Amino acid sequence: MTHETDGKAVGKDFIRSKIDQQIKEGLAPATIQTRFPPEPNGYLHIGHAKAICLDFGIAREYGGNCNLRFDDTNPVKEDTEYVDAIQNDVQWLGFRWQGEARYASDYFGRLYELAVDLIEMDKAYVDSQSAEEIHANRGTLTEPGKNSPYRERGIGENLDLFRRMKDGEFPDGAHVLRAKIDMASPNVIMRDPVLYRIRHASHHRTGDAWCIYPMYDYTHCISDSIERVTHSLCSLEFENNRELYDWVLETLNLYPSKQTEFARLNINGTVLSKRKLIQLVTQGHVSGWDDPRMPTLCGVRRRGFTPESLRDFCERIGVARANSRVDYGLLEFCVREHLNRIAPRLMAVLNPLRVTVENYPAGQVEWFEMPLNPEDASQGNRKVPFSRELLLERDDFMENPPARFHRLSPGKEVRLRYAYYLTCREVKKDAAGNVTELVCSYDPASRGGGTPDGRKVKGTLHWLSARHAVKAEARLYDRLFRKDDPEADLAEDETFLVNLNPDSLVTVEAHLEPALAEYPVDSRVQFERLGYFRVDEDSTAERKVFNRIVGLRDTWAKVAAQG
Ligand code: ATP
Ligand code: MG
């Protein structure tokens, strides 16, 4: 487990340090302006949470503002379903953007005018090579590219062609608009990048108003500049794009937003890429974007993670410039830390073993008043029935236990949580030798969990009164992938999907104390000694469904070590 060494980040990260330095030198802008710029082509995932915490967090800490801007320049892959989900997720994480949500598509008109300006400055031209030709002439990391035969078209011809592209005179792929920079640039991105392409496709916001769409590199910097973004924070894969970002703004003499890159978040045992997450959904490997095994924000929300725990996680992992993988255990640690404080603790049995308390009067029922959280009296109490027939957890009994087994075994005495001491007198078995029932006795003097003679018992078990127990469904989730890096060491014909964990969902019947069955959907509770659970949306009036959020300890590390 790495979380034992991963304390909260010490000192400030390089981005905040840089802003502090700017402030000290009097070079900081009057107001820090950031933005979170998702492309609405899928649901947000935990990697986005890192970017969100950074973009919104920095704005908040420095008294600035953060915009939410949809980077919606690709009409083919984008959808309003995603726009709505993304807004919902950002708010759920606890952040509010400045004003209305913005859209790169709001700027299509301005982007077009600026492209015309570039043509007039002889800084952009219409290229009529095919996509394959453009690709082939791009050169390589070691060889310069080749100038397009259309590169020296006159400005007038370029203006005419670009207008006719916009007016829909040409089919997809007939022409593109390219920046005129340098086909020999050592930075391949600077080799006359494409700024506009023809796409006869309806856009989720602009409909059929446009049939040419601006490319990301051209759109992003100008959108930032229009919004007077001072610190444009993005993940490391955009490092080489920064030169183009600066080129566009400088050439057009626009407000000089500045881009800073930070490392992408990767987490062991999962994938953080919308493209791959879409595959899991469309191929039916999970029940949907919000399947509780998904690393999407709606997935972990349905699982039962709290926004507080995700923000805590993002704070602990910090912000660096080097890519790395974070142990999933750290995320679980953060979730446990929070749930330990807020979740009421009640009793449920997942794998029941019947117990008859031979000296307890048949037909008698006692109701024990128990705290919902012994560490937080403000959570109040609930009443739990006790009777002659009990259910214990099967794992809490061993007929021939090893020395350090402090739970129930023949002749051994244990404490039933807040109730009585119980001693195992007899083990009943079926023909195959399976334990079917225990006959036990209780000590009436131990009511409440202690005895007048002060004798010690080591084990305290959770329990239920059999006839009061309420049945429910428990969904026990585990890692979606069985490898830390699902994409490592794949054979040529394999994809990350071969590493799906076949046991990532195990459904069992749970037995609940009566009070537990009363919690509504979205409640988070601890099943004592078993883990944290959330009441799922699939619950019905007759039958509750509980998602296991996380166990009480890191069992995965142990299993993996035995591997
Ligand atoms: P994906 O590969 O999942 O599609 P993306 O980078 O294409 O991710 P965008 O919607 O373009 O997704 O991302 C919005 C913002 O979130 C960008 O600034 C991007 O840098 C950031 N981001 C995306 N994934 C991560 C991640 N794993 N770690 C940190 N930041 C991320
Ligand atoms: Mg993207």
Side-chain angles (χ1 to χ4, degrees):
M1 277 189 293
T2 58
H3 64 249
E4 288 170 354
T5 49
D6 287 357
K8 295 240 178 194
V10 186
K12 289 197 174 180
D13 56 68
F14 77 100
I15 297 179
R16 289 173 170 93
S17 302
K18 202 162 111 185
I19 297 178
D20 286 350
Q21 188 65 27
Q22 288 175 333
I23 292 173
K24 218 163 99 191
E25 293 169 6
L27 299 174
T31 309
I32 302 279
Q33 176 73 56
T34 59
R35 86 287 169 265
F36 174 62
E39 184 180 357
N41 62 349
Y43 283 67
L44 297 183
H45 51 63
I46 303 173
H48 293 110
K50 172 177 176 174
I52 292 170
C53 288
L54 188 63
D55 291 324
F56 285 90
I58 284 191
R60 186 185 279 175
E61 286 156 42
Y62 290 92
N65 294 305
C66 182
N67 292 345
L68 173 65
R69 184 202 319 135
F70 291 100
D71 167 29
D72 57 349
T73 53
N74 184 352
V76 186
K77 287 199 200 145
E78 296 160 6
D79 199 284
T80 43
E81 173 197 349
Y82 301 133
V83 169
D84 296 341
I86 288 170
Q87 301 198 31
N88 193 27
D89 287 346
V90 172
Q91 288 175 317
W92 176 75
L93 259 189
F95 297 104
R96 301 289 173 267
W97 50 91
Q98 181 192 21
E100 298 288 306
R102 291 147 202 262
Y103 298 83
S105 55
D106 292 342
Y107 310 135
F108 280 175
R110 183 73 185 129
L111 289 161
Y112 178 80
E113 288 167 15
L114 290 167
V116 170
D117 289 352
L118 283 177
I119 295 172
E120 285 173 343
M121 295 159 79
D122 199 21
K123 295 289 186 190
Y125 63 97
V126 173
D127 193 357
S128 308
Q129 296 182 99
S130 67
E132 295 73 38
E133 287 168 323
I134 291 177
H135 186 77
N137 291 333
R138 227 176 140 208
T140 64
L141 287 175
T142 48
E143 285 164 58
K146 285 200 203 75
N147 282 356
S148 163
Y150 304 97
R151 199 173 196 264
E152 298 310 327
R153 259 177 178 150
I155 291 173
E157 188 186 352
N158 281 320
L159 287 172
D160 177 62
L161 282 172
F162 187 48
R163 181 186 51 73
R164 289 164 59 200
M165 281 167 65
K166 175 182 72 107
D167 290 345
E169 282 190 32
F170 308 114
D172 289 3
H175 309 281
V176 292
L177 184 74
R178 297 179 73 174
K180 199 185 236 184
I181 306 180
D182 178 7
M183 287 305 290
S185 171
N187 181 355
V188 179
I189 288 175
M190 297 299 279
R191 295 182 188 168
D192 291 9
V194 173
L195 305 180
Y196 267 91
R197 58 186 172 165
I198 303 171
R199 267 279 185 292
H200 290 272
S202 277
H203 186 275
H204 68 104
R205 295 192 78 241
T206 58
D208 295 320
W210 296 89
C211 64
I212 54 171
Y213 290 95
M215 304 299 286
Y216 169 86
D217 279 320
Y218 176 68
T219 311
H220 197 77
C221 54
I222 294 176
S223 304
D224 281 348
S225 178
I226 290 172
E227 295 175 11
R228 304 239 147 199
V229 168
T230 57
H231 294 77
S232 178
L233 311 175
C234 63
S235 37
L236 215 49
E237 70 272 22
F238 294 104
E239 189 173 13
N240 289 336
N241 304 59
R242 188 184 344 124
E243 193 177 349
L244 179 53
Y245 184 107
D246 291 339
W247 182 90
V248 171
L249 296 187
E250 270 165 39
T251 305
L252 287 165
N253 196 25
L254 298 175
Y255 176 81
S257 298
K258 290 286 173 220
Q259 173 180 306
T260 303
E261 308 86 25
F262 60 88
R264 267 181 103 79
L265 172 63
N266 295 301
I267 300 180
N268 280 344
T270 193
V271 290
L272 293 180
S273 148
K274 282 179 278 185
R275 194 172 51 77
K276 298 196 184 89
L277 296 175
I278 282 185
Q279 277 187 59
L280 294 173
V281 174
T282 55
Q283 296 181 17
H285 300 292
V286 293
S287 64
W289 284 100
D290 68 346
D291 185 299
R293 291 166 293 182
M294 289 282 274
T296 48
L297 295 183
C298 55
V300 299
R301 174 166 70 231
R302 182 160 176 196
R303 174 85 165 251
F305 289 17
T306 60
E308 289 87 344
S309 57
L310 285 169
R311 294 198 302 263
D312 180 30
F313 173 71
C314 290
E315 202 178 308
R316 284 172 192 270
I317 56 174
V319 181
R321 266 192 64 89
N323 282 324
S324 65
R325 299 190 78 79
V326 175
D327 193 326
Y328 193 83
L330 177 62
L331 181 54
E332 294 189 323
F333 170 81
C334 295
V335 173
R336 270 188 218 109
E337 279 257 300
H338 188 221
L339 294 180
N340 183 47
R341 280 184 277 128
I342 63 162
R345 302 173 192 175
L346 297 97
M347 296 192 288
V349 168
L350 293 182
N351 188 8
L353 176 58
R354 282 191 93 80
V355 169
T356 301
V357 187
E358 57 181 2
N359 58 337
Y360 195 85
Q364 180 173 315
V365 178
E366 269 175 281
W367 289 83
F368 284 86
E369 178 114 358
M370 303 188 189
L372 280 166
N373 188 333
E375 291 170 30
D376 178 7
S378 75
Q379 291 185 21
N381 297 329
R382 88 283 188 185
K383 290 205 164 87
V384 184
F386 186 93
S387 67
R388 183 179 159 94
E389 309 287 334
L390 304 176
L391 300 180
L392 297 189
E393 203 70 63
R394 205 163 257 280
D395 289 351
D396 283 337
F397 173 78
M398 271 183 97
E399 195 171 11
N400 301 300
R404 289 189 307 166
F405 187 78
H406 298 308
R407 292 171 269 169
L408 202 58
S409 53
K412 262 286 270 300
E413 188 171 49
V414 295
R415 177 188 296 108
L416 297 181
R417 187 72 147 167
Y418 298 122
Y420 290 113
Y421 285 9
L422 189 82
T423 305
C424 177
R425 301 292 173 192
E426 188 191 337
V427 182
K428 292 193 174 173
K429 294 182 188 173
D430 62 15
N434 302 309
V435 176
T436 52
E437 192 191 327
L438 304 179
V439 179
C440 298
S441 65
Y442 85 114
D443 177 358
S446 64
R447 195 174 197 283
T451 54
D453 63 13
R455 71 180 186 272
K456 296 264 180 287
V457 293
K458 282 228 166 106
T460 300
L461 309 185
H462 59 280
W463 55 273
L464 299 174
S465 161
R467 75 185 156 93
H468 297 92
V470 181
K471 286 180 182 163
E473 178 174 325
R475 295 177 180 169
L476 309 180
Y477 295 108
D478 209 329
R479 305 290 149 91
L480 193 47
F481 293 92
R482 50 190 168 180
K483 273 204 183 163
D484 278 353
D485 181 355
E487 290 165 280
D489 309 324
L490 293 173
E492 222 164 275
D493 56 343
E494 291 177 338
T495 70
F496 70 107
L497 297 169
V498 300
N499 289 318
L500 277 164
N501 175 7
D503 303 318
S504 60
L505 168 59
V506 175
T507 300
V508 299
E509 185 160 73
H511 305 260
L512 316 176
E513 64 167 270
L516 195 43
E518 299 301 319
Y519 281 87
V521 169
D522 199 35
S523 305
R524 299 179 184 91
V525 294
Q526 183 188 122
F527 288 6
E528 279 215 38
R529 301 179 60 236
L530 295 175
Y532 295 99
F533 287 75
R534 173 180 177 273
V535 184
D536 189 75
E537 283 73 4
D538 284 348
S539 299
T540 62
E542 294 76 41
R543 194 171 166 87
K544 287 265 157 69
V545 175
F546 285 82
N547 298 324
R548 183 169 66 193
I549 306 169
V550 62
L552 295 180
R553 278 163 304 156
D554 188 351
T555 47
W556 178 264
K558 261 190 261 161
V559 173
Q562 286 159 7

